[in-house]
Amino acid sequence: MEWWKKAVVYQIYPRSFMDSDGDGIGDLQGIISKLDYLKELGVDVLWLSPIYDSPNDDNGYDIRDYRKIMQEFGTMDDFDRMLDGIHERGMRLVMDLVVNHTSDEHRWFTERPDYYIWKGQPNNWRSFFSGSAWQFDETRQQYYLHLFSRKQPDLNWENEELRHEVYKMMRWWLDKGVDGFRMDVINMISKDQSFPDGIDGDGTPHFFNGPRVHEFLQEMNKNVLSDYDIVTVGEMPGAGTEDAKLYTGPGRNELNMIFTFEHMNLDQGPGGKWELQPLRLTDLKENLEKWQVELYGNGWNSLYWNNHDQPRIVSRFGNDGEYRKQSAKMLATCLHFLQGTPYIYQGEELGMTNVAFASIDEYRDIETLNMYKEKRAQGMQHENLMEAIHAKGRDNARTPMQWDASENAGFTKGNPWIPVNPNYPEINAGNREETDSVFRYYQKLIALRKEVEVITEGDFKLLFREDEEVFAYTRQTADEQLTVYCNFSATPRELPVPKGCVLIGNYPPQENQGAVQLRPYEALCFFDGNKNGGMDRGKDGENG
Ligand code: NOJ
């Protein structure tokens, strides 16, 4: 089996992870100083958000030079040392590959206009970061396309020379020894060349999973990926299960897995991410079931609740007050027993929560700031906008990692580039030794994936489909069965006793007397593996 099917990936947002030199910005030496922590957690792969030279209009997702390290993060020497440190500990490194667009400060933008998309007349597409997706350029007297910020012009993948430049750059990093790529919005690289207007300015039907995307990825695979033992994951807004089969299916020679957005879009209205809507658990169950069943044997998926663009899951689908620890562990249980490769975002393993800054001035993210400005100008109330930002803003994920209870959560000796979440004295990695810490629970989940075959291999069946509080399912192979019970509510629930013994749970064990009594946000996983001499984990599983 491919190694990445049994791997657990940890995402680092370098700017917010650990600052070694007191400038308030995380850096590579900071990461090096925390490699033992990551090893202790037990993850196999580290994915770093972009660390390349960038003017930081979008925190590194606007790249000026693909072969240079961002000055604030360190030097290429630091990078080499970090890579060695990762490999010495038996872990691997995945780099972020941002090739749908560059920075407008990339030298290509002036030297090679044919690498970008220019039009005499713009169409009506809107940018993901507010306003038109087209910017007029005085020198060229034409508009260029930017699906993200004005400083992120889209690359023209129709240009073969450009494509080969990208492949060359990828090989340069792989030859240095990196172990794979997370590919930023990679399903947007092929645009409908007639550039039709979209309904209400929504251009996505004309560039999500566009006409030549599979051809381009197969070309990339042939020219680069197939020569290395690496892992690839494509970030793909608007990709459904049928698309996922094409991107990741056996024999397709494209990518190993994708990030879907479907389960992340269930708590929003038709107006998009800022239109808040409570999650219906049955929607989440139906969606995850679809991905589990459809991809079984036909492709591979990644499993995630968090990343640098999403609010913190414990605040979003859990309970970040009284049941913070229980619900953080419950959500982890629910995700980690699914089929796929799990991704943990920095701080998730501590149960870090959303932040609610009182003033818009404390926010840093271009998406949030542009949206606020645009909607205020349209007359929307400050209070309503702040409510949406508190719930969905990307800065929820980007407050500094909470290492300990010292000033600035131990993240920096200087002034952090974004304020620290004020709850750091209580929620921090210094508490991870406590027997009921969220960290220890993640450690156990990660270890179990290595031990228990059915977690990787088993098929998926949803139980209690109509239940709005309990998410329950089984995973099964010929020899083993798992049953997972997750209470997504604070209401105690009674469920039938499944086969097997408790493998792991997030509460102290209790005697089952004819029924399982699920406590608030309780998660329990039962394992039955005795059929053909499979493992017998005894009665007392791992609890905490
Ligand atoms: C997706 C990235 O995850 C996000 O952070 C970024 O702003 C956009 N792509 C543009 O690169």
Side-chain angles (χ1 to χ4, degrees):
M1 185 198 299
E2 297 94 329
W3 60 267
W4 40 264
K5 290 194 170 167
K6 266 194 160 336
V8 177
V9 184
Y10 186 93
Q11 184 193 353
I12 293 178
Y13 195 66
R15 205 174 185 77
S16 305
F17 191 62
M18 181 64 200
D19 174 24
S20 72
D21 60 4
D23 66 355
I25 297 172
D27 48 43
L28 301 189
Q29 284 295 343
I31 296 174
I32 292 173
S33 72
K34 296 299 182 186
L35 290 179
D36 287 331
Y37 168 87
L38 297 165
K39 186 70 195 162
E40 183 187 333
L41 181 59
V43 293
D44 307 282
V45 181
L46 307 181
W47 150 32
L48 265 52
S49 277
I51 54 172
Y52 316 95
D53 176 45
S54 162
N56 283 310
D57 195 49
D58 185 21
N59 286 355
Y61 283 92
D62 48 322
I63 296 171
R64 185 163 46 200
D65 186 339
Y66 288 105
R67 290 180 176 80
K68 220 167 126 189
I69 300 295
M70 191 191 298
Q71 210 182 357
E72 299 95 306
F73 288 176
T75 62
M76 198 54 87
D77 260 5
D78 296 328
F79 175 85
D80 293 338
R81 232 162 281 149
M82 177 184 73
L83 185 59
D84 287 346
I86 292 169
H87 286 160
E88 277 158 21
R89 288 167 180 81
M91 298 186 286
R92 305 191 209 226
L93 175 66
V94 162
M95 297 285 276
D96 219 304
L97 182 80
V98 188
V99 290
N100 174 70
H101 45 268
T102 67
S103 163
D104 65 341
E105 297 183 30
H106 194 292
R107 65 181 172 78
W108 289 344
F109 195 57
T110 36
E111 290 171 16
R112 293 302 302 257
D114 57 323
Y115 283 3
Y116 296 85
I117 299 168
W118 297 91
K119 293 280 171 248
Q121 279 302 317
N123 64 16
N124 73 349
W125 296 358
R126 284 176 48 79
S127 150
F128 291 110
F129 291 166
S130 304
S132 167
W134 298 90
Q135 174 67 24
F136 189 67
D137 180 88
E138 288 295 338
T139 331
R140 286 182 61 85
Q141 291 290 304
Q142 277 185 314
Y143 294 84
Y144 64 84
L145 178 70
H146 62 89
L147 295 180
F148 294 90
S149 97
R150 264 185 287 138
K151 287 182 66 63
Q152 292 168 297
D154 279 57
L155 285 166
N156 177 18
W157 274 72
E158 300 295 316
N159 185 319
E160 192 177 346
E161 220 183 310
L162 174 266
R163 298 204 300 275
H164 286 276
E165 278 291 335
V166 170
Y167 305 152
K168 212 163 76 192
M169 176 272 286
M170 293 171 73
R171 295 190 75 101
W172 188 84
W173 283 102
L174 291 167
D175 291 340
K176 252 179 144 357
V178 310
D179 305 289
F181 292 110
R182 173 270 186 189
M183 304 186 184
D184 192 68
V185 292
I186 199 70
N187 67 329
M188 301 193 196
I189 55 178
S190 167
K191 279 90 177 167
D192 178 336
Q193 291 302 296
S194 62
F195 291 89
D197 276 344
I199 299 167
D200 295 330
D202 174 14
T204 59
H206 310 296
F207 57 77
F208 277 177
N209 315 304
R212 297 182 68 189
V213 67
H214 295 290
E215 176 195 334
F216 294 157
L217 289 176
Q218 283 168 14
E219 183 184 81
M220 177 194 284
N221 188 294
K222 188 158 161 252
N223 280 273
V224 186
L225 309 176
S226 57
D227 289 337
Y228 301 86
D229 176 25
I230 54 172
V231 61
T232 54
V233 50
E235 188 206 23
M236 302 209 179
T241 48
E242 290 309 310
D243 302 300
K245 289 180 199 170
L246 296 177
Y247 288 120
T248 71
R252 291 281 306 167
N253 299 322
E254 295 190 19
L255 303 178
N256 297 143
M257 61 187 104
I258 74 162
F259 289 129
T260 162
F261 279 63
E262 286 190 349
H263 66 304
M264 293 278 99
N265 295 343
L266 297 173
D267 58 348
Q268 68 187 35
K273 77 179 256 184
W274 304 108
E275 196 179 311
L276 307 183
Q277 183 178 281
L279 174 77
R280 276 182 40 182
L281 188 65
T282 44
D283 289 344
L284 180 68
K285 296 199 293 193
E286 187 187 318
N287 185 262
L288 294 185
E289 177 193 33
K290 181 179 78 178
W291 281 84
Q292 288 290 301
V293 172
E294 291 283 316
L295 262 64
Y296 188 70
N298 299 319
W300 194 255
N301 202 10
S302 59
L303 307 169
Y304 75 96
W305 288 136
N306 288 279
N307 59 43
H308 63 292
D309 296 328
Q310 298 293 340
R312 295 281 179 181
I313 199 63
V314 68
S315 303
R316 188 178 189 179
F317 295 169
N319 174 317
D320 64 8
E322 188 182 350
Y323 298 111
R324 183 184 64 85
K325 284 186 180 177
Q326 289 88 343
S327 64
K329 294 174 194 173
M330 181 279 290
L331 287 158
T333 312
C334 184
L335 194 77
H336 279 247
F337 286 113
L338 295 174
Q339 185 173 54
T341 300
Y343 287 69
I344 299 169
Y345 178 70
Q346 64 184 46
E348 177 183 337
E349 78 281 16
L350 307 175
M352 275 178 64
T353 70
N354 279 354
V355 75
F357 296 135
S359 159
I360 188 71
D361 298 334
E362 287 170 293
Y363 285 89
R364 301 287 177 265
D365 175 26
I366 181 167
E367 181 194 40
T368 294
L369 298 175
N370 285 1
M371 180 282 287
Y372 179 85
K373 220 161 93 194
E374 184 179 75
K375 299 220 157 143
R376 284 293 285 153
Q378 292 165 359
M380 276 190 68
Q381 294 289 313
H382 167 80
E383 288 70 27
N384 296 344
L385 293 174
M386 290 309 279
E387 191 197 347
I389 292 169
H390 292 161
K392 288 289 179 68
R394 304 197 297 182
D395 283 337
N396 282 309
R398 299 176 182 187
T399 61
M401 177 74 177
Q402 292 165 204
W403 291 109
D404 56 41
S406 71
E407 204 183 345
N408 292 324
F411 162 71
T412 180
K413 298 247 174 302
N415 224 342
W417 70 277
I418 183 170
V420 175
N421 190 317
N423 63 20
Y424 75 87
E426 184 204 332
I427 305 171
N428 63 66
N431 298 332
R432 68 186 182 280
E433 297 303 330
E434 290 171 8
T435 46
D436 71 337
S437 76
V438 179
F439 181 93
R440 285 178 69 133
Y441 195 84
Y442 267 87
Q443 245 179 351
K444 289 174 194 161
L445 287 176
I446 296 165
L448 281 172
R449 182 164 287 266
K450 310 277 178 293
E451 281 176 47
V452 182
E453 211 52 40
V454 63
I455 301 176
T456 323
E457 306 267 18
D459 69 4
F460 173 95
K461 279 201 188 62
L462 185 66
L463 306 174
F464 318 123
R465 177 175 302 277
E466 306 301 330
D467 198 306
E468 286 293 355
E469 289 167 344
V470 169
F471 194 150
Y473 57 86
T474 59
R475 301 284 313 284
Q476 195 156 5
T477 58
D479 303 331
E480 299 178 343
Q481 177 171 330
L482 286 178
T483 306
V484 180
Y485 282 175
C486 292
N487 186 356
F488 271 68
S489 81
T491 317
R493 289 293 305 273
E494 188 175 288
L495 294 178
V497 182
K499 279 198 287 195
C501 306
V502 172
L503 184 64
I504 188 168
N506 63 348
Y507 271 85
Q510 62 176 328
E511 270 306 308
N512 288 331
Q513 284 165 345
V516 176
Q517 309 289 340
L518 277 188
R519 290 158 282 192
Y521 295 98
E522 181 159 5
L524 274 174
C525 176
F526 299 82
F527 176 81
D528 182 40
N530 298 328
K531 281 173 209 148
N532 297 324
M535 62 191 284
D536 178 2
R537 299 194 53 95
K539 246 193 146 36
D540 53 342
E542 311 239 25
N543 285 77

